Coordinates of all heavy atoms in Angstrom, one line a residue:
Q23 N 0.9 -1.2 0.0 CA 0.0 -0.1 0.0 C 0.8 1.2 0.0 O 2.0 1.2 0.4 CB -0.9 0.0 1.2 CG -0.1 0.1 2.5 CD -1.2 0.2 3.7 OE1 -2.4 0.0 3.6 NE2 -0.6 0.6 4.8
V24 N 0.3 2.3 -0.5 CA 1.1 3.6 -0.5 C 0.0 4.7 -0.3 O -1.1 4.7 -0.8 CB 1.9 3.8 -1.8 CG1 0.8 3.8 -3.1 CG2 2.6 4.9 -1.8
L25 N 0.4 5.8 0.4 CA -0.5 6.9 0.5 C -0.7 7.7 -0.8 O 0.4 7.9 -1.4 CB 0.1 7.9 1.7 CG 0.0 7.5 3.1 CD1 0.7 8.5 4.0 CD2 -1.4 7.4 3.5
S26 N -1.9 8.0 -1.1 CA -2.1 8.9 -2.3 C -1.9 10.3 -2.0 O -1.7 10.6 -0.8 CB -3.5 8.6 -2.8 OG -4.5 9.3 -2.0
L27 N -2.0 11.1 -2.9 CA -2.2 12.5 -2.7 C -3.5 12.8 -2.0 O -4.3 12.0 -2.1 CB -2.1 13.3 -4.1 CG -0.6 13.4 -4.7 CD1 -0.8 13.9 -6.1 CD2 0.3 14.2 -3.9
P28 N -3.6 13.9 -1.2 CA -4.8 14.1 -0.5 C -6.0 14.2 -1.4 O -5.9 14.9 -2.5 CB -4.5 15.4 0.3 CG -3.4 16.1 -0.4 CD -2.6 15.0 -0.9
I29 N -7.1 13.7 -1.1 CA -8.3 13.8 -1.8 C -9.5 14.2 -0.8 O -9.5 13.8 0.3 CB -8.7 12.4 -2.3 CG1 -7.8 11.9 -3.4 CG2 -10.2 12.4 -2.9 CD1 -7.9 10.5 -3.8
V30 N -10.3 15.1 -1.3 CA -11.5 15.6 -0.6 C -12.7 15.3 -1.4 O -12.8 15.6 -2.7 CB -11.4 17.1 -0.2 CG1 -12.6 17.5 0.6 CG2 -10.2 17.4 0.6
V31 N -13.7 14.7 -0.8 CA -15.0 14.4 -1.5 C -16.0 15.4 -1.0 O -16.1 15.7 0.1 CB -15.5 13.0 -1.2 CG1 -16.8 12.7 -1.9 CG2 -14.5 11.9 -1.5
I32 N -16.7 16.1 -2.1 CA -17.6 17.1 -1.9 C -19.0 16.8 -2.5 O -18.9 15.8 -3.4 CB -17.2 18.5 -2.3 CG1 -16.9 18.5 -3.8 CG2 -15.9 18.9 -1.7 CD1 -16.6 19.9 -4.3
V33 N -20.0 17.2 -2.0 CA -21.4 17.0 -2.6 C -21.9 18.1 -3.2 O -23.0 18.0 -3.9 CB -22.3 16.5 -1.4 CG1 -21.7 15.2 -0.7 CG2 -22.5 17.5 -0.3
H34 N -21.2 19.3 -3.2 CA -21.8 20.4 -3.9 C -20.6 21.4 -4.2 O -19.7 21.5 -3.5 CB -22.8 21.2 -2.9 CG -23.7 22.2 -3.8 ND1 -23.2 23.4 -4.1 CD2 -24.9 22.2 -4.2 CE1 -24.2 24.1 -4.7 NE2 -25.3 23.3 -4.8
G35 N -20.9 22.1 -5.3 CA -19.8 23.0 -5.9 C -19.4 24.1 -4.8 O -18.3 24.6 -4.9
N36 N -20.3 24.5 -4.0 CA -20.1 25.5 -3.0 C -19.0 25.1 -1.9 O -18.6 25.8 -1.1 CB -21.4 26.1 -2.3 CG -22.1 25.1 -1.4 OD1 -21.6 24.0 -1.2 ND2 -23.3 25.4 -1.0
Q37 N -18.7 23.8 -1.8 CA -17.7 23.3 -0.9 C -16.4 23.3 -1.5 O -15.4 22.9 -0.9 CB -18.1 21.8 -0.5 CG -19.4 21.8 0.3 CD -19.9 20.3 0.4 OE1 -19.7 19.4 -0.3 NE2 -20.5 20.1 1.6
D38 N -16.3 23.6 -2.8 CA -15.1 23.5 -3.6 C -13.9 24.3 -2.9 O -12.7 23.8 -2.8 CB -15.2 24.0 -5.0 CG -14.1 23.8 -5.8 OD1 -13.6 22.6 -6.0 OD2 -13.5 24.8 -6.5
N39 N -14.3 25.5 -2.6 CA -13.3 26.4 -1.9 C -12.6 25.8 -0.7 O -11.4 25.9 -0.5 CB -13.9 27.8 -1.6 CG -12.9 28.8 -1.0 OD1 -12.7 28.8 0.1 ND2 -12.5 29.6 -2.0
N40 N -13.4 25.3 0.2 CA -12.9 24.7 1.5 C -12.1 23.4 1.2 O -11.2 23.1 1.9 CB -14.1 24.4 2.4 CG -14.7 25.6 3.0 OD1 -14.0 26.7 3.1 ND2 -16.0 25.7 3.3
A41 N -12.6 22.7 0.1 CA -11.9 21.5 -0.2 C -10.5 21.8 -0.7 O -9.5 21.1 -0.3 CB -12.7 20.7 -1.3
K42 N -10.4 22.9 -1.6 CA -9.1 23.2 -2.0 C -8.1 23.6 -0.8 O -7.0 23.4 -0.9 CB -9.2 24.5 -3.0 CG -9.7 24.0 -4.4 CD -9.6 25.1 -5.5 CE -10.5 26.2 -5.3 NZ -10.4 27.1 -6.4
A43 N -8.7 24.4 0.1 CA -8.0 24.7 1.4 C -7.3 23.5 2.1 O -6.2 23.5 2.4 CB -8.8 25.6 2.3
T44 N -8.2 22.5 2.3 CA -7.8 21.2 3.0 C -6.7 20.7 2.2 O -5.6 20.2 2.7 CB -9.0 20.3 3.1 OG1 -10.1 21.0 3.8 CG2 -8.6 19.1 3.8
V45 N -6.7 20.5 0.9 CA -5.8 19.9 0.0 C -4.5 20.6 0.1 O -3.4 20.1 0.1 CB -6.4 19.6 -1.5 CG1 -5.2 19.3 -2.3 CG2 -7.4 18.6 -1.4
L46 N -4.5 21.9 0.0 CA -3.5 22.8 0.0 C -2.6 22.6 1.2 O -1.4 22.5 1.3 CB -3.8 24.3 -0.2 CG -2.7 25.2 -0.3 CD1 -1.8 25.0 -1.5 CD2 -3.1 26.7 -0.3
W47 N -3.3 22.6 2.4 CA -2.8 22.6 3.7 C -2.0 21.3 3.9 O -0.9 21.1 4.4 CB -3.8 22.9 4.8 CG -3.1 22.9 6.2 CD1 -2.9 22.0 7.0 CD2 -2.9 24.1 6.9 NE1 -2.4 22.4 8.2 CE2 -2.4 23.7 8.2 CE3 -3.0 25.5 6.6 CZ2 -2.0 24.7 9.2 CZ3 -2.7 26.4 7.6 CH2 -2.2 26.0 8.9
D48 N -2.8 20.2 3.4 CA -2.2 18.9 3.6 C -0.9 18.7 2.8 O 0.0 18.1 3.2 CB -3.2 17.8 3.2 CG -3.1 16.5 3.7 OD1 -2.0 15.8 3.2 OD2 -3.8 16.0 4.6
N49 N -1.1 19.1 1.5 CA 0.1 19.0 0.5 C 1.3 19.8 1.1 O 2.5 19.2 0.9 CB -0.3 19.5 -0.8 CG -0.6 18.4 -1.9 OD1 -0.1 17.3 -1.8 ND2 -1.5 18.8 -2.8
A50 N 1.0 20.9 1.6 CA 2.2 21.7 1.8 C 2.8 21.4 3.3 O 4.0 21.5 3.4 CB 1.7 23.3 2.1
F51 N 2.1 21.0 4.2 CA 2.6 20.9 5.6 C 2.5 19.5 6.3 O 2.9 19.4 7.4 CB 1.7 21.8 6.5 CG 1.7 23.3 6.0 CD1 0.5 23.9 5.7 CD2 2.9 24.0 5.6 CE1 0.3 25.2 5.2 CE2 2.7 25.2 5.1 CZ 1.6 25.9 4.8
S52 N 2.1 18.5 5.6 CA 2.1 17.2 6.1 C 3.5 16.6 5.9 O 4.2 16.8 4.9 CB 1.0 16.3 5.5 OG 1.3 16.1 4.1
E53 N 3.8 15.6 6.8 CA 5.2 14.8 6.7 C 5.0 13.6 5.9 O 3.9 13.1 5.8 CB 5.7 14.5 8.0 CG 5.9 15.6 9.0 CD 7.0 16.5 8.6 OE1 7.9 16.1 7.9 OE2 7.0 17.7 9.0
I54 N 6.0 13.3 5.1 CA 5.8 12.1 4.2 C 5.5 10.9 4.9 O 4.5 10.1 4.5 CB 7.2 12.0 3.4 CG1 7.5 13.2 2.5 CG2 7.2 10.7 2.5 CD1 6.6 13.3 1.4
D55 N 6.1 10.5 6.0 CA 6.0 9.4 6.7 C 5.0 9.5 7.9 O 5.1 8.7 8.9 CB 7.4 8.7 7.2 CG 8.0 9.9 8.0 OD1 7.5 10.9 8.1 OD2 9.2 9.4 8.6
R56 N 4.0 10.3 7.7 CA 3.1 10.6 8.9 C 2.1 9.5 9.0 O 1.9 8.6 8.2 CB 2.3 11.9 8.6 CG 1.6 11.7 7.4 CD 0.8 12.9 7.1 NE 0.2 12.8 5.7 CZ -1.0 13.3 5.4 NH1 -1.7 14.0 6.3 NH2 -1.6 13.1 4.2

């Protein structure tokens, strides 16, 4: 198994902005072997 890039599942387009924030934060600040 291997960790994928972060994914956020949304149910409506108005959640897109917050989903992008979650992905950005995770991509930028998480540790590889966390």
Side-chain angles (χ1 to χ4, degrees):
Q23 64 176 16
V24 64
L25 284 176
S26 76
L27 288 170
I29 294 169
V30 176
V31 179
I32 62 174
V33 296
H34 194 280
N36 63 11
Q37 298 172 325
D38 185 55
N39 183 276
N40 290 328
K42 283 195 282 187
T44 303
V45 169
L46 181 69
W47 187 279
D48 198 294
N49 258 334
F51 308 123
S52 61
E53 300 296 331
I54 296 292
D55 54 354
R56 64 182 171 142

